[in-house]
């Protein structure tokens, strides 16, 4: 087992040099993947990293919409997703056809789409956002009437912070975050009364109301690092615990619930990264017409979030 792991790490390091590849990993990846990655970050930081990437190949350890976004932002690169079936159930809750229908019902609204969506849906959108820049981007937009898709929870959070905007919400959600219940939060708060409660805006509005800090995965990690508090309850996917614990040995972190896990994010292994580099699989491609239109919404996000 240890021998196989050593072999895989050695081969991955050899192949990434040979192929001029970078390995990017989302903060929800398993610890072994985070440890070999060139960058571990949230969706926004990973998008920026890929957009300015010099390497020829990007191995994206995350889920499909993230690798697709990397391809849209760096179309001349080979983008590989090590696990073909690593998808995002929330991104699958909306189709381009459905969004077109909603646009017809609200002809004066602009469309703001969470990056957790397919390239086809992005192509029908005016601007993309991630959890770390949604507030900034929406505040910077002059338009007031906004269709926000597909995450109704992130949308509700933005709406609560921007009362001057009228957000029309798509009925999508992240199954992992949506299942956190108020009763569970109250229980864990009672168990650890001196801990700060840090959560992701994909949680329901009732849960968000109980938080001491709401932010993207990277923002949660940064907040915990700079805080003088010593104990934290973490309301997002368990992958963030790896970095939180490694970088803050003197602090204590409690995961909101033991089952707080995104099964798709956990599919990628050292074996699949090795296979990906060795065989150039699974290559992500986006049809050119879709790519050009989707790119506009991502470029507008990068512009408005400066
Ligand atoms: P971040 O934007 O915080 O990386 O979140 C992405 C995601 O999929 C959360 O479930
Ligand atoms: Fe999608 Fe939720 Fe998994 Fe993020 S945690 S990739 S939103 S299912």
């Amino acid at each position: 087992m240890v021998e196989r792991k050593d072999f895989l790490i050695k081969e991955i390091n050899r192949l990434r040099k040979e192929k001029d590849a970078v390995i990017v990993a989302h903060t929800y990846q398993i610890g072994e993947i985070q440890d070999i990655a060139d960058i571990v970050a949230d969706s926004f930081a990973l998008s920026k990293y890929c957009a300015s990437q010099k390497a020829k190949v990007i191995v994206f350890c995350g889920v499909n919409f993230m690798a697709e976004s990397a391809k849209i932002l760096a179309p001349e690169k080979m983008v590989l997703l090590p696990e073909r079936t690593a998808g995002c159930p929330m991104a699958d809750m909306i189709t381009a056809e459905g969004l077109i229908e909603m646009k017809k019902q609200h002809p004066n609204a602009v469309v703001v789409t969470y990056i957790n969506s397919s390239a086809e849906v992005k192509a029908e959108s005016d601007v993309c956002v991630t959890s770390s820049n949604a507030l900034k981007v929406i505040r910077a937009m002059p338009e007031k009437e906004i269709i926000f898709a597909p995450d109704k929870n992130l949308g509700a959070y933005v709406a609560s912070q921007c009362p001057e905007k009228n957000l029309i919400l798509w009925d999508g959600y992240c199954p992992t975050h949506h299942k956190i219940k108020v009763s569970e939060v109250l229980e864990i708060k009672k168990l650890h009364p001196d801990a700060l409660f840090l959560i992701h805006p994909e949680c329901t509005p009732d849960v968000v109301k109980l938080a001491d800090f709401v932010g993207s995965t990277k923002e949660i990690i940064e907040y915990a690092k700079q805080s003088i508090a010593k104990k934290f309850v973490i309301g997002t996917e368990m992958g963030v615990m790896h970095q939180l614990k490694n970088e803050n040995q003197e602090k204590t972190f409690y995961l909101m619930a033991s089952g707080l896990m995104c099964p798709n994010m956990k599919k990628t292994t050292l074996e699949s990264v090795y296979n990906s580099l060795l065989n150039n699989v699974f290559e992500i491609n986006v049809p050119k017409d879709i790519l050009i239109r989707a790119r506009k919404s991502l470029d507008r996000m990068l512009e408005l979030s400066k």
Side-chain angles (χ1 to χ4, degrees), residues 91 94-97 99 103 111 113-114 116-126 128 149-150 290 294 297:
I94 184 168
T95 59
E97 292 71 33
L99 184 56
K103 289 203 288 188
V111 180
T113 298
Y114 194 22
N116 298 38
S117 54
S118 67
E120 288 78 8
V121 167
K122 288 184 178 78
E124 290 300 328
S125 308
D126 296 294
C128 268
I290 304 273
S297 64

Side-chain angles (χ1 to χ4, degrees), residues 104-116:
K104 279 188 199 149
Q105 285 160 23
H106 304 278
N108 298 321
V110 288
V111 180
V112 177
T113 298
Y114 194 22
I115 197 163
N116 298 38

Side-chain angles (χ1 to χ4, degrees), residues 17 31 59 70 126 133 135 197 230 247 290:
K17 259 197 214 127
V59 180
D126 296 294
N133 63 33
L135 282 177
F197 182 38
K230 290 276 176 264
E247 292 177 8
I290 304 273

Side-chain angles (χ1 to χ4, degrees), residues 1 15 44 48 52 56-57 59 76 84-85 111 137 174 176 247 268-269 274 285 289 297 299:
M1 202 73 176
L15 286 165
F44 183 45
K48 283 197 293 187
S52 63
K56 287 199 185 96
V57 180
V59 180
E76 71 292 354
R84 196 205 295 268
T85 63
V111 180
V137 168
C174 161
T176 303
E247 292 177 8
T268 313
T269 60
Y274 168 56
N285 280 305
D289 55 325
S297 64
D299 279 346

